[in-house]
């Protein structure tokens, strides 16, 4: 029998977020509190802006009427806009700062722009495409971020920002908008979320973070009290007397085994001392295991707290083996900074280091021998470029070195700097799934090596700025990996690159964003990596760092507050000690890492899939008795939650909340499945203990013994050709 958890999410038009003011819903075929400006250039429209019939009565919008227009093909931007004037202008305050609307674009030829009193860039509130063609989508825009206290007189929308020249490339299309409101939070519809434990996906391996770059300094120069605080926040799975988690229980600790730039000092071509690293290997070929004492202090803490996996990664070969004599290319153009006769030496160094720490009782699970091979790494930090052929040669040498020591450790490649390089691209270190795991690529194929993990590792940088990339890029990498039965592991992310777009639910700029905004977007990214990319691991980049250049918490879980001599803790000398502060990023990651443990399997969760609203994933424990659901509420409204179970009794429910006021706090008031709520702009973890095992049926991605039929939620169907295919909106794998 299929066992189904049904979650009924009820969002009222009024809530803690405040009442909504409906400007227009167009159902009476009028424009409500708005009026349509009539000054339009007719040649740009086959249907001028007006109240019109809903072209797609489905999904978020089943109403009869909306406001919209139909553009001619290749419409220029000038006067290609919908101008909606407020009959009674309003001053933006806390009560009306959030503008919401439903939007529909038949095609996405160019981005559209929504403006405050103007269609010019100076008033820009939003610029972007919708996630899909011909599908209604909700847009939520916080006017208060840029225009608090200013008077809103009109909402101006450029339907397609065709800045290009020549302005051509698409046919005529319809663009529509509906249910336009102002308020303190969105007026969200009722939603239903269904969790089906019998429908399973990937098995979670771990959540982790790395000790780059400052952990060695913190471990050496900060007080025991400060270090112990940090270790507890990162690794503890214990709770305090109130039931609040003491830490986020990371299940993987990534350790940088450095290349020796620290010994070179200012001659290393690395100006920032914290970006230099020590090396266990010495110039005379001996090993000095007293190096990296600060890092080793945290390694010991991680082991004592019971961290499941340790991953050793290398950013550059030891300086003794590099062509440049540095831990970067020293401003030279080269495709690889490892000497041609040192592949075996480098492999021996990596295997020897793994053997040493395994002998000390550390569960060394992986060695990452290369890092972001696409980049040139000319200066500024340790790093080396790599061609796919170089990586394959090194992997073969490392396989030999690991097997000669009988180590239970796997080689993980290629640490791609962005997901698209795993399934496409050209030039150095591109199309890497095919390069390493397609047998026909004989010069680079390493899929037959005993110690090479059947997985591809990559980083979520550069592909998180909009909803399309968050979904499509991750589905593409999963499809490419599935072709060869590979796991996908996200091994490094922090908020590099320009700020995400407002169309993805991020504020208009980093300056306008709060630390909670940044942490909340990270939660959204994690959700997308886990659900669209089916990733089995998710690791943050720098566990600790200073907060410089108004970057807020974009690059750390724990903030370093250095003493130094300048009086500015962001720029002080961390070698003189200081204090450490747990940040929102830490606790938001903990909503996942503390409760979704190694061995948990993701199960089908339907309904919590609003890219700018409510997102949710659910995970079943190996014994089938615990379901963990992590919900990300991107909206500014409370979402009420009623959990109804079919044939399974819940013995207990615990809810943990991270929002602007709480840090992974156990909410004692929410103990019954039918009395839950998701606060506005929050991440909430719901842990349900079941009276009986829910069991697991491997319906997804499982090939039957005859190779011809597959089980799809109890149905049988003929197997298609090899690859990934869709049925009923779900993805399956044919092998």
């Amino acid at each position: 029998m299929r066992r189904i958890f049904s979650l009924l999410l009820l969002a009222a038009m009024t809530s803690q977020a405040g009442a909504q003011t409906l400007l227009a819903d167009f159902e009476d075929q009028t424009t409500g509190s708005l009026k349509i400006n009539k000054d339009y250039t007719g040649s740009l429209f086959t249907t001028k802006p007006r109240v019109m019939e809903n072209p797609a009565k489905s999904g978020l919008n089943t109403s009869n009427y909306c406001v919209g227009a139909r553009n001619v093909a290749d419409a220029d931007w000038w006067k290609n806009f919908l101008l909606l004037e407020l009959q009674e202008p309003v001053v933006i305050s806390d009560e009306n700062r959030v503008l919401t609307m439903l939007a529909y674009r038949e095609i996405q030829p160019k981005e559209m722009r929504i403006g405050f009193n103007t269609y010019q860039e100076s008033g820009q509130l939003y610029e972007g495409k919708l996630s899909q063609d011909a599908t209604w989508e909700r847009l939520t825009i916080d006017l208060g971020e840029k225009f608090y206290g200013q008077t809103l007189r009109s909402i101006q929308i450029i339907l397609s920002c065709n800045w290009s020249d020549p302005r051509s490339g698409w046919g005529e299309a319809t663009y529509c908008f509906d249910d336009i409101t102002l308020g303190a939070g969105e007026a969200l519809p009722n939603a239903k979320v269904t969790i089906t434990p019998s429908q399973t996906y990937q098995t979670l391996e771990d959540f982790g973070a790395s000790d780059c770059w400052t952990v060695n300094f913190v471990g050496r120069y900060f007080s025991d009290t400060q270090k112990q605080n940090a270790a507890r926040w990162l690794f503890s799975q214990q709770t305090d007397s109130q039931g609040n988690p003491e830490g986020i229980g990371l299940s993987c600790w990534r350790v940088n085994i450095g290349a020796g730039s620290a010994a070179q000092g200012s001659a290393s071509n690395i100006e920032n001392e914290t970006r230099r690293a020590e090396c266990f290997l010495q110039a005379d070929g001996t090993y000095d295991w007293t190096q990296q004492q600060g890092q080793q202090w945290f390694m010991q803490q991680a082991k004592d707290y019971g961290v499941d996996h340790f991953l050793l990664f290398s950013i550059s070969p030891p300086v003794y083996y590099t062509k440049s004599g540095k831990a970067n290319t020293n401003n030279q153009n080269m495709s690889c900074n490892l000497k041609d006769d040192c592949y075996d030496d480098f492999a021996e160094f990596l295997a020897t280091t793994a053997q040493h720490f395994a002998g000390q009782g550390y569960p060394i699970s992986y060695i990452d021998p290369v890092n972001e091979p696409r980049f040139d790494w000319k200066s500024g930090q340790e790093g080396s470029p790599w061609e796919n052929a170089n990586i394959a040669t090194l992997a073969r040498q490392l396989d030999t070195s690991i097997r000669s020591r009988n180590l239970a450790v796997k080689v993980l490649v290629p640490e791609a700097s962005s997901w698209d390089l795993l399934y496409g691209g050209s030039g150095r270190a591109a199309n890497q799934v095919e390069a390493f795991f397609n047998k026909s690529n004989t010069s680079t194929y390493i899929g037959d090596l005993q110690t090479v993990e059947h997985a591809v590792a990559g980083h979520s940088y550069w592909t998180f700025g909009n909803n399309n990339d968050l979904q499509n890029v991750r589905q593409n990498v999963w499809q490419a990996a599935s072709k060869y039965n590979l796991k996908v592991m996200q091994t490094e992310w922090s908020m590099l690159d320009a700020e995400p777009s407002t169309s993805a639910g991020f504020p208009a700029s980093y300056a306008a964003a709060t630390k909670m905004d940044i942490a909340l977007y990270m939660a959204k990214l994690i959700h997308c990596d886990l659900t669209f990319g089916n990733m089995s691991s998710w690791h943050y980049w720098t566990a600790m760092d200073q907060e410089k250049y108004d970057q807020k918490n974009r690059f750390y879980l724990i903030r370093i507050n250095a003493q130094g001599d300048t009086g500015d803790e962001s720029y002080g000398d961390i070698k003189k000690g200081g204090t450490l502060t747990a940040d929102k990023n830490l606790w938001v990651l903990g909503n996942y890492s503390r409760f979704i443990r190694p061995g948990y399997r993701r199960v089908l969760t339907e309904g919590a899939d609003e890219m700018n609203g409510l997102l949710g994933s659910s995970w079943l424990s190996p014994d089938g008795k615990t379901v963990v659901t992590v919900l990300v509420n991107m909206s500014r409204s409370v979402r009420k939650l009623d959990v109804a179970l079919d044939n399974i009794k819940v013995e207990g429910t615990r809810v943990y909340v991270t929002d602007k006021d709480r840090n992974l706090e156990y909410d004692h008031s929410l103990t019954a499945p039918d009395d839950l709520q998701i606060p506005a702009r929050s991440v909430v973890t719901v842990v349900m203990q079941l009276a009986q095992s829910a069991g697991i049926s491997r319906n997804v991605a499982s090939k039957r013994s005859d190779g011809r039929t597959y089980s799809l939620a109890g149905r049988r169907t003929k197997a298609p050709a090899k690859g990934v295919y869709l049925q009923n909106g779900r993805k399956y794998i044919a092998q």
Side-chain angles (χ1 to χ4, degrees):
M1 177 183 295
R2 293 179 64 197
R3 298 185 174 110
I4 299 176
F5 296 88
S6 297
L7 298 116
L8 305 177
L9 295 129
L10 306 176
M13 289 291 286
T14 60
S15 67
Q16 293 179 6
Q20 305 297 309
T21 299
L22 180 65
L23 298 181
D25 65 6
F26 310 104
E27 278 305 275
D28 60 358
Q29 300 185 55
T30 73
T31 57
S33 299
L34 303 172
K35 60 180 179 179
I36 301 175
N37 187 290
K38 302 299 184 181
D39 183 19
Y40 294 105
T41 300
S43 62
L44 295 181
F45 300 100
T46 56
T47 301
K48 287 187 178 183
R50 66 176 189 177
V51 176
M52 61 192 302
E53 290 190 3
N54 182 350
K57 298 178 184 179
S58 62
L60 293 179
N61 192 9
T62 57
S63 66
N64 293 314
Y65 295 96
C66 57
V67 66
R70 186 167 180 84
N71 275 354
V72 300
D74 306 326
D76 204 337
W77 76 273
W78 178 246
K79 293 289 185 178
N80 172 27
F81 52 80
L82 171 66
L83 195 160
L84 301 171
E85 295 179 335
L86 277 69
Q87 296 192 33
E88 296 184 7
V90 299
V91 177
I92 300 304
S93 65
D94 288 337
E95 287 70 36
N96 60 16
R97 63 182 294 160
V98 177
L99 171 69
T100 66
M101 66 180 71
L102 297 177
Y104 170 97
R105 303 178 84 212
E106 185 176 1
I107 56 176
Q108 312 294 318
K110 297 289 182 180
E111 295 181 339
M112 66 175 172
R113 173 185 288 169
I114 300 175
F116 186 98
N117 296 338
T118 177
Y119 51 79
Q120 301 289 356
E121 187 175 2
S122 60
Q124 179 173 307
L125 298 169
Y126 169 105
E127 185 169 320
K129 299 179 180 180
L130 300 184
S131 298
Q132 299 182 62
D133 292 346
T135 302
W136 283 100
E137 183 172 317
R138 180 175 292 100
L139 300 180
T140 302
I141 303 167
D142 188 351
L143 307 182
E145 291 170 352
K146 291 178 65 177
F147 299 105
Y148 195 90
Q150 298 187 36
T151 300
L152 175 65
R153 295 182 173 85
S154 64
I155 301 166
Q156 302 195 22
I157 307 171
I158 301 178
L159 300 176
S160 284
C161 301
N162 188 5
W163 316 126
S164 59
D165 189 13
R167 297 178 172 88
S168 62
W170 70 87
E172 68 177 77
T174 298
Y175 306 93
C176 298
F177 303 87
D178 205 353
D179 295 343
I180 303 173
T181 70
L182 283 175
E186 302 95 321
L188 298 173
N190 295 350
K192 180 179 180 180
V193 177
T194 303
I195 302 172
T196 309
S198 60
Q199 195 77 29
T200 61
Y201 299 89
Q202 79 270 31
T203 298
L204 193 281
E205 190 158 318
D206 50 45
F207 288 96
S210 83
D211 66 4
C212 273
W213 292 96
T214 55
V215 166
N216 196 43
F217 293 82
V218 172
R220 290 178 62 186
Y221 300 114
F222 280 57
S223 71
D224 287 344
T225 297
Q226 293 301 317
K227 292 187 295 185
Q228 288 162 3
N229 285 343
R232 183 176 66 256
W233 293 330
L234 291 168
F235 307 129
S236 176
Q237 298 181 53
Q238 301 301 309
T239 56
D240 64 19
S241 60
Q242 300 300 310
N244 303 309
E246 292 185 342
I248 68 170
L250 293 180
S251 42
C252 181
W253 188 236
R254 298 182 72 236
V255 179
N256 174 27
I257 48 176
S261 58
Q264 296 178 324
S266 60
S268 63
N269 196 32
I270 301 172
E271 182 178 358
N272 185 340
E273 185 177 1
T274 67
R275 298 302 186 261
R276 306 170 194 159
E278 298 171 355
C279 186
F280 297 116
L281 182 65
Q282 303 301 292
D284 61 2
T286 62
Y287 284 81
D288 179 1
W289 300 114
T290 67
Q291 296 290 306
Q292 301 180 9
Q293 280 298 298
Q295 291 172 261
Q296 292 196 57
W297 189 93
F298 277 94
M299 288 181 70
Q300 182 66 50
Q301 292 293 308
K303 184 175 71 170
D304 292 346
Y305 273 106
V307 170
D308 301 78
H309 304 137
F310 282 76
L311 184 154
L312 306 180
F313 66 101
S314 172
I315 299 179
S316 165
V319 293
Y320 322 112
Y321 302 149
T322 63
K323 296 175 181 177
S324 68
K326 312 289 185 187
N328 52 56
T329 68
N330 201 25
N331 303 310
Q332 301 176 58
N333 293 316
M334 59 177 68
S335 59
C336 175
N337 195 26
L338 177 64
K339 294 177 182 177
D340 294 340
D341 60 351
C342 288
Y343 282 84
D344 55 346
D345 297 311
F346 185 27
E348 283 290 291
F349 162 72
L350 295 171
T352 299
T353 303
Q355 181 180 33
H356 169 78
F357 286 108
Q360 298 294 313
Y362 291 93
I364 307 298
S365 300
Y366 292 107
I367 299 175
D368 282 353
V370 303
N371 177 74
E372 297 188 341
R374 180 73 163 199
F375 295 145
D376 292 331
W377 300 116
K378 291 187 174 183
S379 63
Q381 69 164 72
E382 295 193 346
S384 172
W386 298 86
E387 298 278 359
N388 287 340
N390 305 135
I391 298 171
T393 300
L394 178 58
R396 296 184 187 111
Q397 291 288 346
L398 187 51
D399 175 70
T400 298
S401 295
I402 291 172
R403 286 189 292 105
S404 71
R405 292 166 170 79
N406 294 315
L407 294 175
V409 62
K410 293 288 187 177
V411 178
L412 187 61
V413 294
E415 293 274 359
S417 55
S418 60
W419 293 120
D420 53 309
L421 293 173
L422 289 175
Y423 60 81
S426 60
R428 185 174 67 226
N431 203 19
Q432 293 185 297
V433 169
E434 290 293 320
F436 299 133
F437 295 101
N438 185 334
K439 292 181 180 179
S440 65
N441 293 318
T442 56
S443 63
T444 56
Y445 176 66
I446 56 175
D448 58 345
L449 297 180
Q450 179 180 325
T451 67
V452 169
E453 181 69 289
H454 275 243
V456 284
H459 301 166
S460 273
Y461 300 127
W462 320 117
T463 60
F464 62 88
N466 59 72
N467 287 338
N468 284 331
D469 283 352
L470 283 170
Q471 179 171 344
N472 297 335
V473 169
R474 283 145 185 83
Q475 288 177 334
N476 288 342
V477 73
W478 178 74
Q479 181 171 347
S482 299
K483 182 178 178 181
Y484 301 104
N485 299 315
L486 304 172
K487 297 184 296 185
V488 182
M489 301 173 69
Q490 198 290 122
T491 50
E492 184 179 316
W493 182 82
S494 61
M495 199 167 251
L496 290 174
D497 204 3
E499 61 272 298
S501 69
T502 53
S503 63
F506 198 77
S509 66
Y510 280 130
T514 65
K515 288 189 173 184
M516 188 61 208
D517 289 329
I518 291 168
L520 187 66
Y521 199 86
M522 179 185 72
K524 176 179 179 175
L525 170 73
I526 295 173
H527 171 86
C528 293
D529 281 346
L530 296 177
T531 59
F532 296 128
N534 285 273
M535 295 171 194
S536 60
S537 295
W538 201 93
H539 301 162
Y540 195 78
W541 175 219
T542 46
M544 308 176 201
D545 209 344
Q546 291 172 274
E547 183 179 318
K548 299 182 178 181
Y549 317 118
D550 296 320
Q551 292 167 339
K552 299 177 181 173
N553 56 338
R554 290 168 56 193
F555 304 118
Y556 60 76
L557 302 176
I558 296 173
R559 188 182 194 270
I560 298 174
N561 314 294
Q563 291 179 344
D565 296 322
T566 65
D568 188 337
E569 61 189 18
S570 295
Y571 298 90
D573 184 354
I574 63 175
K575 291 192 295 183
K576 295 183 178 180
T579 60
L580 303 171
T581 306
D583 191 79
K584 287 295 180 185
N585 282 344
L586 179 94
W587 302 117
V588 162
L589 177 56
N591 277 95
Y592 289 94
S593 61
R594 175 62 178 78
F595 305 103
I596 305 171
R597 307 304 303 171
Y600 277 53
R601 298 197 71 184
R602 186 167 68 87
V603 298
L604 180 63
T605 306
E606 297 174 291
D609 53 5
E610 306 163 356
M611 287 296 284
N612 290 346
L614 185 69
L615 298 166
S617 64
S618 298
W619 304 77
L620 185 65
S621 63
D623 64 5
K625 292 188 176 182
T626 303
V627 172
V628 174
T629 300
V630 182
L631 295 150
V632 182
N633 186 4
M634 297 289 292
S635 75
R636 296 184 182 275
S637 291
V638 173
R639 305 298 296 270
K640 293 184 178 180
L641 187 79
D642 179 24
V643 181
L645 303 180
D646 183 16
N647 297 327
I648 300 177
K649 180 181 178 182
V650 174
E651 290 187 330
T653 302
R654 303 190 312 279
V655 179
Y656 301 87
V657 180
T658 303
D659 59 14
K660 66 182 180 64
D661 300 315
R662 289 172 284 186
N663 295 322
L664 204 60
E665 181 178 305
Y666 175 32
D667 193 329
H668 295 261
S669 68
L670 302 176
T671 58
D674 60 353
D675 186 25
L676 303 177
Q677 63 182 359
I678 311 302
R681 305 289 288 174
S682 72
V683 186
V684 171
T685 302
V686 181
V687 180
M688 292 174 283
Q689 298 297 331
L690 311 182
Q692 64 197 69
S693 174
I696 292 179
S697 174
R698 296 173 181 265
N699 287 326
V700 174
S702 70
K703 185 170 70 173
R704 296 181 62 86
S705 58
D706 60 6
R708 294 296 302 161
T709 59
Y710 293 67
S711 174
L712 306 178
R715 298 182 298 275
R716 292 168 68 88
T717 182
K718 287 290 184 181
K722 292 182 178 181
V724 179
Y725 69 105
L726 290 170
Q727 179 163 322
N728 298 329
R730 301 174 187 166
K731 280 187 166 58
Y732 301 92
I733 303 172
Q735 301 168 340

